[in-house]
Amino acid sequence: MAKRGMLIVLSGPSGVGKGTVRKAIFEQKDNDFQYSISMTTRQPRNGEVNGEDYFFVSKSDFEDKIAHGQMLEYAKYVDNYYGTPLQYVNQTLDSGKDVFLEIEVNGARQVREKMPDGVFIFLTPPDLVELKQRIINRGTEDMATIDKRMGKAVDEIKTMRDYDYAVVNDDLVVAVDEIKNIIKGEHLRVTRVYPEYQEMLGEL
Amino acid sequence: MAKRGMLIVLSGPSGVGKGTVRKAIFEQKDNDFQYSISMTTRQPRNGEVNGEDYFFVSKSDFEDKIAHGQMLEYAKYVDNYYGTPLQYVNQTLDSGKDVFLEIEVNGARQVREKMPDGVFIFLTPPDLVELKQRIINRGTEDMATIDKRMGKAVDEIKTMRDYDYAVVNDDLVVAVDEIKNIIKGEHLRVTRVYPEYQEMLGEL
C-alpha cells in the first residue's frame, strides 16, 4: 500500500486572494499535489465546466451527501451549498498523492476536526487597510456591506491561531513560493516520516 | 527591539556527514543565519584557526563556564571538552539573527531542554549498511570499534523522534536544499509569527 498522501488546506479571510494564489500555484506544472474540486448546488456561470471548476449537483443530492457524512466540509451561502466531497479526498490521499483544498475559514475548521494531521496554511492580508481597499476595488458591494465584511475579516484573522502556517499575500510570486516551500518542508517532519525509519531499524 | 532570531540545530548519528552538510550550507552565501562556533579544550590541529574552526580554551576556563551555566551544551570526549558557549548564541538571537548549531545528539538533547522553541533537524543515513560503509571508508577504526559505533548509531537514530524534521543525507545537494527549505518554512509557522498579527489586530 502506498504511503497516504498529505492534506494541504489553504484558507484565509474573505477577499484576501485565496483563489488567485491557488490558481497561480496550479498554473505551475511541477506540483506533486492534486487540487480538490468543490461541489456546489449553484448554477454554473458562463464558461464554468462541471468537474473542472466545480462539481455541479442538485440540492437534494448535496443534502443526501451531508446526511450520509460524505462531505469533508460544507457551508450554505444565500441559498446554495458549497463543500468538499470526502470520497474524492480520501481516494486521492490513499493513492499516496497529496490533496490541496482552498476553502473558507469555517470549512477549514471543519476539516481540522476531521483530519487534524493536515497542513493548515492561513493566507493573510499585509494589513487590514489593504484588505478593505481590495474589497472596495472589487466594486461589487456598498459601504455597509464592506464594513460588515471587515468585521468578519477581523474575526477570521483571529482564527489564524488554529493554523500551522501564516503566509502574507503581498507579492503573489512570494506567497506561491512560500506555500510550496511549506509543503516540501512538511514532508520532512519527523511525525510524518518516523514510521519509515522504524521499519529501517526493524531490519537490523 | 528586534524580533528574536530562531535557533536551528542540525544533529544526527556519528558518521552521517553532519560536518560536510554544514560546510556545504555555509559555502552558500545567501544564508540569513549565523554559524555558532564550538568551544573546545583540545589542541588546534594543523591549519585550524581560533575563532573560526573552534574557540580554543584551557580546561580550567571551560570548567569555569560549565560551573557558571555558560554552556548551552557540552560533552567530554576522551580527555577534552567540546561545547557551545551560551552567550554568543543568546547575543546573536537577541540581535534578530538565526543561529545554526551542528552538534552531536547528546548536545542536541541538552539544547532541546534549554531552548525547546528551536528547530531540530536530524540528519539520517539512507540506510545503516551505508552508514557502516562510510565509517569503514574513513579507515581510521578497526572492526571492533566499528561494531561499537554501529550500535551507538542505532541508539542515536532512535532519538530522531525528539526532533522536528528528518533529512536523509543521500545526495548532498538535496540535503542542503531541504535544510534551507525547512528553515524558510519554520519562519512562517503561526507559533512564531502570531505575536506580530496580534499587534496588527490591536491597531483597529
Side-chain angles (χ1 to χ4, degrees):
Chain A
M1 210 180 80
K3 189 187 168 192
R4 193 167 150 95
M6 193 168 76
L7 181 69
I8 305 144
V9 177
L10 179 68
S11 190
S14 307
V16 74
K18 294 186 287 294
T20 307
V21 169
R22 185 255 303 163
K23 275 176 204 147
I25 289 171
F26 281 94
E27 269 163 19
Q28 300 183 356
K29 299 300 172 207
D30 63 342
N31 300 316
D32 259 345
F33 40 85
Q34 185 71 41
Y35 176 56
S36 164
I37 299 155
S38 293
M39 188 169 276
T40 184
T41 60
R42 78 155 166 76
Q43 292 301 309
R45 289 180 193 145
N46 224 348
E48 283 185 340
V49 177
N50 186 36
E52 272 186 33
D53 298 286
Y54 282 97
F55 293 114
F56 296 101
V57 298
S58 71
K59 206 160 178 172
S60 65
D61 277 0
F62 202 111
E63 287 173 344
D64 196 58
K65 282 192 180 291
I66 296 170
H68 290 84
Q70 285 173 22
M71 296 306 294
L72 178 57
E73 57 84 28
Y74 71 96
K76 202 173 184 179
Y77 294 107
V78 196
D79 244 2
N80 284 307
Y81 287 109
Y82 295 79
T84 304
L86 183 62
Q87 192 184 23
Y88 176 78
V89 170
N90 266 334
Q91 278 175 352
T92 312
L93 292 176
D94 283 341
S95 77
K97 211 172 172 72
D98 295 348
V99 173
F100 189 102
L101 300 184
E102 178 244 310
I103 51 179
E104 301 297 321
V105 292
N106 277 332
R109 191 181 36 72
Q110 293 173 52
V111 177
R112 183 64 122 175
E113 281 164 17
K114 289 176 189 158
M115 296 191 176
D117 286 350
V119 184
F120 290 76
I121 305 169
F122 193 84
L123 194 68
T124 77
D127 59 59
L128 290 172
V129 178
E130 167 75 19
L131 178 66
K132 192 167 184 173
Q133 201 53 52
R134 283 191 206 189
I135 295 173
I136 293 169
N137 288 349
R138 282 187 186 176
T140 51
E141 283 109 356
D142 60 33
M143 280 310 289
T145 313
I146 289 170
D147 283 343
K148 204 176 143 196
R149 289 188 62 149
M150 281 302 294
K152 196 183 161 206
V154 171
D155 288 343
E156 288 179 333
I157 289 172
K158 286 178 182 164
T159 70
M160 185 198 294
R161 261 177 299 189
D162 304 324
Y163 288 70
D164 301 306
Y165 296 94
V167 168
V168 179
N169 190 16
D170 189 3
D171 179 319
L172 182 65
V173 174
V174 172
V176 167
D177 197 51
E178 289 184 339
I179 290 166
K180 296 182 75 166
N181 204 306
I182 287 167
I183 295 167
K184 278 185 206 155
E186 273 292 318
H187 276 287
L188 302 169
R189 285 192 79 82
V190 166
T191 46
R192 299 189 191 280
V193 301
Y194 193 69
E196 293 164 48
Y197 288 96
Q198 275 184 304
E199 210 171 288
M200 180 168 98
L201 293 171
E203 280 165 12
L204 291 172
Chain B
M1 210 179 84
K3 189 186 168 192
R4 194 168 149 94
M6 194 167 76
L7 181 70
I8 305 143
V9 177
L10 178 68
S11 190
S14 308
V16 74
K18 294 187 287 294
T20 307
V21 169
R22 185 255 303 163
K23 275 176 204 148
I25 289 172
F26 282 92
E27 270 164 18
Q28 299 184 355
K29 298 301 171 204
D30 63 341
N31 301 316
D32 260 344
F33 40 85
Q34 185 71 42
Y35 176 55
S36 165
I37 299 155
S38 293
M39 187 169 277
T40 184
T41 60
R42 79 153 164 77
Q43 291 301 307
R45 287 179 195 145
N46 224 349
E48 283 185 339
V49 177
N50 185 36
E52 273 185 32
D53 298 286
Y54 282 97
F55 293 113
F56 295 101
V57 297
S58 70
K59 206 162 180 172
S60 66
D61 277 359
F62 202 111
E63 287 174 345
D64 195 58
K65 281 191 180 293
I66 296 170
H68 289 85
Q70 285 173 21
M71 296 306 293
L72 177 57
E73 55 84 29
Y74 71 94
K76 201 172 185 180
Y77 293 108
V78 197
D79 244 1
N80 284 307
Y81 287 110
Y82 295 79
T84 304
L86 183 61
Q87 192 185 24
Y88 177 79
V89 170
N90 266 333
Q91 278 175 352
T92 311
L93 293 175
D94 282 343
S95 77
K97 212 172 170 73
D98 295 347
V99 173
F100 189 103
L101 300 184
E102 178 245 308
I103 51 180
E104 301 297 321
V105 293
N106 276 333
R109 190 181 37 71
Q110 294 173 50
V111 177
R112 183 63 124 176
E113 281 165 16
K114 289 178 189 156
M115 297 191 176
D117 286 350
V119 185
F120 290 76
I121 305 169
F122 193 84
L123 195 68
T124 77
D127 58 59
L128 290 172
V129 179
E130 166 75 18
L131 178 67
K132 191 166 186 174
Q133 201 53 52
R134 283 191 207 189
I135 295 172
I136 293 170
N137 288 348
R138 283 188 186 174
T140 51
E141 282 109 358
D142 60 34
M143 281 310 289
T145 313
I146 289 170
D147 283 344
K148 204 175 142 196
R149 289 188 60 147
M150 282 302 294
K152 195 182 161 208
V154 171
D155 289 342
E156 288 179 333
I157 289 172
K158 286 178 182 166
T159 70
M160 185 197 296
R161 262 178 299 189
D162 303 323
Y163 288 70
D164 301 305
Y165 296 93
V167 168
V168 179
N169 190 18
D170 189 3
D171 179 320
L172 182 65
V173 174
V174 172
V176 166
D177 197 49
E178 289 184 339
I179 290 167
K180 296 183 73 165
N181 204 308
I182 286 167
I183 295 167
K184 279 185 206 154
E186 273 292 318
H187 277 287
L188 301 169
R189 285 192 79 81
V190 167
T191 46
R192 298 189 191 279
V193 300
Y194 193 69
E196 292 164 49
Y197 288 97
Q198 275 183 304
E199 210 171 287
M200 180 168 97
L201 294 170
E203 281 165 11
L204 291 172

